[in-house]
């Protein structure tokens, strides 16, 4: 339960990683004092114990401290902060098994985010092995999922982009391309609209690379259908009957 208490946007995560890289992790005494002030002595000690155990396993101290202080800033109770840090440490350990213990903190955190959303481990291992811009690729994948693209189709788009050696900018444009296709063809246009629009979008944003035209169209059409379903009222037979006056 605790792991769903708060989540940051991809942009906030990337910005946080930059700021974290510019600032030294809190010194031990300062960390203990801040935790004690906000969590009380008992929960401060237990939270620090979880953090130190994670550090011994190769996890970035800064990420774990940041998670704890984020909970404090949001006014979470000490026991919830402790549970969230413990859960986050477990997620980072799992992420390290995918991208490697020596991965940059932002890559480790984005791998944890992706695993939490059910992204395939094989795909993440391939991205982490082959691409230095791993974190940005996961951001693009998350935005595709948030746009309503089914996970299998979103993963297929990323696999194609990596196989064809799309650069970071081209990969990051994929979610915007899906949204553009939805706006253009998602109001009952025929099948030809999806294929023609995807071809035009590919030529516009990826002119020097083969483009996943069919997969892009399928992803956008699928997302549009899910969006329409979410907005449609339930069938009359499923509606709650009105209470007699």
């Amino acid at each position: 339960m605790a792991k769903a208490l708060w989540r940051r946007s991809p942009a906030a995560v990337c910005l946080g990683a930059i700021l974290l890289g510019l600032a030294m992790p809190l010194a031990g005494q300062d960390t203990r004092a801040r935790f004690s002030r906000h969590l009380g002595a008992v929960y401060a000690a237990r939270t620090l114990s979880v953090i130190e155990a994670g550090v011994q396993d190769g996890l970035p101290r800064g990420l774990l401290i940041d998670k704890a202080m984020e909970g404090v800033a949001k006014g979470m109770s000490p026991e919830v902060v402790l549970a969230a840090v413990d859960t986050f440490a477990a997620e980072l350990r799992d992420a390290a098994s995918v991208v490697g213990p020596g991965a940059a903190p932002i890559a480790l955190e984005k791998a944890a985010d992706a695993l939490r959303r059910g992204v395939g481990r094989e795909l993440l291992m391939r991205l982490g092995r082959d691409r230095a811009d791993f974190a940005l690729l996961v951001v693009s994948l998350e935005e595709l999922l948030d746009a309503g693209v089914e996970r299998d189709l979103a993963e297929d788009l990323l696999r194609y982009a990596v196989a064809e050696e799309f650069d970071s900018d081209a990969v990051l444009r994929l979610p915007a391309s899906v949204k553009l296709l939805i706006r253009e063809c998602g109001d009952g246009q025929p099948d030809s609209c999806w294929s023609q629009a995807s071809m035009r979008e590919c030529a516009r944003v990826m002119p020097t690379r083969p483009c996943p035209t069919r997969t892009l169209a399928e992803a956008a059409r699928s997302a549009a259908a899910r969006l329409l379903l979410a907005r449609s009222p339930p069938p009359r037979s499923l509606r709650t009957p009105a209470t007699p006056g």
Side-chain angles (χ1 to χ4, degrees):
M1 291 293 291
K3 65 183 178 182
L5 287 172
W6 64 81
R7 290 189 61 205
R8 292 168 287 175
S9 69
V13 169
C14 288
L15 177 59
I18 293 171
L19 295 177
L20 192 63
L22 294 176
M24 291 294 291
L26 295 173
Q29 287 297 108
D30 184 36
T31 303
R32 189 174 299 276
R34 294 181 69 184
F35 281 13
S36 295
R37 185 164 60 251
H38 293 289
L39 302 177
V42 173
Y43 277 99
R46 293 175 66 183
T47 301
L48 285 169
S49 177
V50 169
I51 291 173
E52 290 306 317
V55 171
Q56 291 179 10
D57 289 341
L59 304 182
R61 184 189 305 273
L63 283 182
L64 297 169
I65 291 175
D66 187 45
K67 173 61 73 174
M69 294 311 298
E70 186 180 356
V72 167
K74 291 181 178 291
M76 302 297 178
S77 64
E79 58 269 27
V80 171
V81 171
L82 171 63
V85 173
D86 192 32
T87 297
F88 186 52
E91 291 175 342
L92 291 179
R93 288 185 179 93
D94 192 26
S97 71
V98 173
V99 297
I106 182 60
L108 198 61
E109 187 169 13
K110 295 313 296 176
D113 289 344
L115 288 171
R116 192 184 303 118
R117 300 188 67 157
V119 175
R121 300 178 74 90
E122 172 272 329
L123 174 60
L124 292 174
M125 291 177 71
R126 180 180 177 187
L127 296 180
R129 181 187 68 239
D130 296 343
R131 300 283 297 230
D133 56 353
F134 171 83
L136 292 179
L137 300 190
V138 176
V139 167
S140 181
L141 183 59
E142 288 178 328
E143 290 185 354
L144 287 168
L145 296 174
D146 290 341
V149 178
E150 294 177 2
R151 191 177 68 233
D152 288 348
L153 285 172
E155 291 184 3
D156 284 345
L157 282 174
L158 261 292
R159 287 192 182 93
Y160 189 101
V162 171
E164 294 297 333
E165 299 182 348
F166 284 19
D167 61 22
S168 301
D169 289 341
V171 175
L172 288 172
R173 283 196 294 264
L174 287 174
S177 297
V178 166
K179 294 172 186 177
L180 186 146
L181 265 63
I182 291 173
R183 289 196 300 270
E184 186 169 341
C185 301
D187 55 353
Q189 296 296 318
D191 289 348
S192 59
C193 180
W194 297 100
S195 59
Q196 292 171 6
S198 62
M199 289 175 64
R200 289 196 304 271
E201 184 64 8
C202 280
R204 185 179 71 85
V205 300
M206 288 161 272
T208 63
R209 292 286 182 185
C211 184
T213 304
R214 181 176 177 180
T215 305
L216 183 64
E218 289 177 353
R221 184 161 43 189
S222 170
R226 293 178 68 182
L227 181 63
L228 179 63
L229 182 63
R231 290 180 175 176
S232 300
R236 184 178 297 274
S237 61
L238 298 180
R239 296 177 189 173
T240 304
T243 304

